[in-house]
Amino acid sequence: MFINKGNQINPQFATKSQLFKLFESISNNCIKSLYISPKDLETKNDVISNLSEKQINFINKIAYSETGLSVFETTDKTYTIIPPFPILNSSFNNHDKFKILKDTLNQKYIIGVVLLRLGRYAICILKGEELLHTKTKDRYVKNRHKAGGSSQRRFERSRERLIRELYDKTCEITKDIFEPYENKIDYLLFGGEKHTINGLHKRCTYIEKFKKQTLKRLLSIQHEPNQKTLENIHKEVWKSKLYEISNI
């Protein structure tokens, strides 16, 4: 595998508008651009030979990207960007150096989003950044019980039942919202704690229909999944990772 998961480095996060401002600011002194698809990133394709040794070593420190990456070299800095959605084809030093990434960021993808925490879910369909359909709901799930003995076992059985009911209801509502868009959904994203999302995957067979469209990254949820969260979720869905290094 091309990407080394050791010695990982932390990125900045950039919105679409922030990236477009960056492109404008470096357009006059951008001397090289490179786009690497996820497949070529995985197989260490010869396309990376267009980079300097320092740039390759830097990319090796970035955690694996399921969406590929783009590299823009200026006279003094190199910017590496991991986009929110896949770069379909690798290319080097194309005429319009920013066009491929701009086109990716301007796509009107149909995106399914499922946000889940124990006790609440929020589900939506996006077209680009526009909300098309939403649904939120809370369902009571007991906190963990600290006492021991039979009382604790009864409590845990009750809690497990409530969690199953939450998963089943989330699955039911997801199906209701997604069905009209089943043949149109380009990508599916989940948000919440990893073990909770894993539990939903095990319980909800419907979402397996979108296995090929599902991206592995989990959306960050700062607050409870609710309508307000969904109204701002496009920012999280469309954000990119941005790395910047000096060429000196």
Side-chain angles (χ1 to χ4, degrees):
M1 181 181 291
F2 173 42
I3 294 299
N4 178 6
K5 293 187 178 180
N7 301 318
Q8 293 183 12
I9 52 178
N10 295 321
Q12 303 175 54
F13 289 96
T15 64
K16 181 192 299 188
S17 61
Q18 288 171 332
L19 286 182
F20 282 13
K21 288 179 181 178
L22 172 65
F23 299 156
E24 185 177 353
S25 69
I26 66 174
S27 60
N28 291 332
N29 67 339
C30 183
I31 57 179
K32 182 190 296 183
S33 69
L34 176 68
Y35 293 90
I36 309 176
S37 69
K39 180 180 178 180
D40 288 341
L41 196 59
E42 181 79 15
T43 59
K44 198 175 180 180
N45 188 280
D46 288 342
V47 69
I48 68 166
S49 64
N50 294 294
L51 296 174
S52 69
E53 182 178 354
K54 181 178 180 179
Q55 290 166 340
I56 292 174
N57 289 337
F58 176 77
I59 289 175
N60 276 332
K61 296 178 182 178
I62 300 174
Y64 169 70
S65 167
E66 63 180 332
T67 59
L69 55 81
S70 55
V71 180
F72 303 100
E73 181 183 341
T74 68
T75 51
D76 59 342
K77 292 181 180 179
T78 295
Y79 300 88
T80 301
I81 299 170
I82 295 179
F85 299 103
I87 293 170
L88 301 180
N89 297 294
S90 298
S91 67
F92 172 67
N93 224 24
N94 48 312
H95 177 68
D96 185 343
K97 294 180 174 61
F98 309 107
K99 185 178 187 304
I100 293 176
L101 189 50
K102 282 183 176 180
D103 287 349
T104 299
L105 296 174
N106 281 327
Q107 286 291 331
K108 300 296 183 183
Y109 289 130
I110 302 297
I111 306 161
V113 176
V114 178
L115 308 180
L116 179 63
R117 281 185 173 167
L118 291 183
R120 191 169 188 92
Y121 60 81
I123 303 161
C124 73
I125 293 287
L126 289 167
K127 182 178 182 181
E129 297 180 299
E130 177 190 0
L131 279 174
L132 297 183
H133 198 165
T134 69
K135 178 71 174 181
T136 68
K137 188 73 174 179
D138 57 358
R139 290 181 71 88
Y140 175 66
V141 175
K142 299 177 181 178
N143 291 325
R144 291 191 177 277
H145 191 53
K146 295 183 179 180
S150 59
S151 174
Q152 180 181 1
R153 289 192 292 273
R154 285 195 301 272
F155 179 90
E156 288 300 330
R157 285 195 296 271
S158 175
R159 186 173 187 273
E160 289 169 2
R161 175 182 58 80
L162 291 171
I163 292 173
R164 288 195 301 270
E165 290 176 356
L166 172 66
Y167 287 154
D168 291 346
K169 190 62 179 179
T170 303
C171 187
E172 176 188 334
I173 299 302
T174 298
K175 184 177 181 180
D176 288 345
I177 291 179
F178 282 16
E179 270 191 330
Y181 305 92
E182 272 188 6
N183 298 323
K184 300 178 181 178
I185 291 176
D186 296 297
Y187 296 103
L188 174 57
L189 287 159
F190 292 86
E193 295 180 357
K194 188 173 182 179
H195 74 275
T196 304
I197 300 301
N198 287 342
L200 177 65
H201 276 277
K202 293 176 183 177
R203 186 79 181 170
C204 181
T205 57
Y206 175 74
I207 57 179
E208 292 304 305
K209 296 183 69 169
F210 306 98
K211 190 173 183 178
K212 291 183 178 180
Q213 294 100 315
T214 301
L215 295 179
K216 294 178 181 178
R217 69 180 172 108
L218 289 180
L219 302 175
S220 175
I221 309 174
Q222 300 300 323
H223 305 287
E224 288 298 312
N226 53 33
Q227 186 63 31
K228 186 175 181 180
T229 304
L230 291 181
E231 289 170 359
N232 291 284
I233 199 62
H234 65 279
K235 298 175 184 177
E236 179 71 17
V237 167
W238 283 94
K239 74 180 182 183
S240 300
K241 291 181 179 180
L242 171 63
Y243 302 85
E244 178 183 330
I245 60 169
S246 171
N247 293 336
I248 301 173

